Amino acid sequence: GVRWTAEEGARAIVVGDVHGCAEELDLLLEACGFQQGRDVLVLVGDLVHKGPRSCEVVRRVRELGGVSVRGNHDVQSVAACVARRALRAAALSQDGSFARVLSELQEVGVFPTTRPLREASRKRGRAGNLSDGGQLSRDGEEDEAAGGSGNLSEEGQLSRSGEEEEVDAWTGDYAWTDGLTDADILFLATLPASILLPPPFAPGPENGSGEGAPALVVHAGMVPG
């Protein structure tokens, strides 16, 4: 856990959504005069996704002993990372389990179904499988899960290359998660929903004791405790 030291001049440096911008995070900490071991780095979630160096952000925060609450992009990235690993393992096994694993991931809601199906359909020119409501028909879903007849071997099994293409068709936005280590994934997966900043780290109104009032850090921002 965090050591909320009472060292003179110690600060909590609270940083908003970093979204994979590692260089900008370093520049910001430099501008703040952040001193590891004295100051505490606190992030308000969404460490990853969108930016170019998400894996580096996670490792940088860990190296600095920083803490963070979880954001929606952190949660979704962990889910997508696990999904990619499971789908890739099924693809490499070549035992016909890919469609089953994909179906199971859909059932537990690891990722939305409509968006990746639309993207995969556009990629293969099968937009005709979309209903008027924007949903793929049942036949379209089954075709997507199988990867399309063009990738089927004579025995009716999806080729290895076809299944590997399907991994990116479903989770391509999160291909960067392949660079996360197990320790990185554990860090993101166990981020708390909130962090309480104790005095004297917390900013805010004086509480009569000469110290700042406690403050609660959540993904939406910072709220006085």
Side-chain angles (χ1 to χ4, degrees), residues 15-40:
V15 180
D17 303 14
V18 177
H19 280 300
C21 296
E23 183 177 356
E24 289 81 355
L25 175 61
D26 283 339
L27 289 172
L28 179 61
L29 294 179
E30 182 180 354
C32 292
F34 176 81
Q35 291 188 26
Q36 186 175 2
R38 182 198 68 179
D39 301 325
V40 179

Side-chain angles (χ1 to χ4, degrees), residues 47 58 61-62 66-68 182-191:
L47 280 68
V58 176
V61 173
R62 292 177 54 216
V67 295
S68 176
D182 289 346
D184 295 332
I185 296 169
L186 181 62
F187 178 80
L188 287 174
T190 56
L191 294 177

Side-chain angles (χ1 to χ4, degrees), residues 73-102:
H73 283 273
D74 306 317
V75 173
Q76 185 62 27
S77 294
V78 170
C81 180
V82 173
R84 284 181 66 84
R85 288 187 174 195
L87 289 172
R88 186 174 292 107
L92 293 175
S93 70
Q94 295 185 278
D95 61 0
S97 63
F98 184 86
R100 173 183 56 79
V101 172
L102 179 58

Side-chain angles (χ1 to χ4, degrees), residues 2-222:
V2 179
R3 184 175 172 223
W4 300 102
T5 177
E7 180 181 341
E8 184 177 356
R11 302 170 299 166
I13 306 298
V14 182
V15 180
D17 303 14
V18 177
H19 280 300
C21 296
E23 183 177 356
E24 289 81 355
L25 175 61
D26 283 339
L27 289 172
L28 179 61
L29 294 179
E30 182 180 354
C32 292
F34 176 81
Q35 291 188 26
Q36 186 175 2
R38 182 198 68 179
D39 301 325
V40 179
L41 175 60
V42 182
L43 297 107
V44 299
D46 280 0
L47 280 68
V48 297
H49 203 41
K50 295 187 178 181
R53 294 158 65 182
S54 290
C55 295
E56 187 173 336
V57 167
V58 176
R59 288 177 199 133
R60 186 74 175 127
V61 173
R62 292 177 54 216
E63 288 170 1
L64 294 174
V67 295
S68 176
V69 297
R70 62 175 176 261
N72 55 301
H73 283 273
D74 306 317
V75 173
Q76 185 62 27
S77 294
V78 170
C81 180
V82 173
R84 284 181 66 84
R85 288 187 174 195
L87 289 172
R88 186 174 292 107
L92 293 175
S93 70
Q94 295 185 278
D95 61 0
S97 63
F98 184 86
R100 173 183 56 79
V101 172
L102 179 58
S103 176
E104 290 174 352
L105 289 169
Q106 285 180 277
E107 287 178 6
V108 299
V110 168
F111 43 70
T113 57
T114 306
R115 179 169 170 240
L117 283 171
R118 274 206 194 103
E119 291 176 348
S121 294
R122 276 201 299 268
K123 180 178 179 182
R124 294 186 175 83
R126 292 202 303 274
N129 286 328
L130 290 175
S131 68
D132 292 340
Q135 298 286 338
L136 268 184
S137 65
R138 181 177 178 183
D139 289 342
E141 287 189 358
E142 291 171 350
D143 194 20
E144 284 302 321
S149 58
N151 289 322
L152 292 178
S153 65
E154 292 181 359
E155 293 78 19
Q157 295 294 322
L158 192 65
S159 68
R160 177 177 174 181
S161 61
E163 288 185 340
E164 289 174 342
E165 287 178 2
E166 283 297 291
V167 175
D168 283 330
W170 282 88
T171 62
D173 286 349
Y174 295 90
W176 63 266
T177 63
D178 295 346
L180 292 172
T181 66
D182 289 346
D184 295 332
I185 296 169
L186 181 62
F187 178 80
L188 287 174
T190 56
L191 294 177
S194 64
I195 295 174
L196 184 66
L197 298 183
F201 291 94
E206 296 297 311
N207 61 10
S209 65
E211 297 178 336
L216 187 68
V217 179
V218 295
H219 178 52
M222 186 181 297

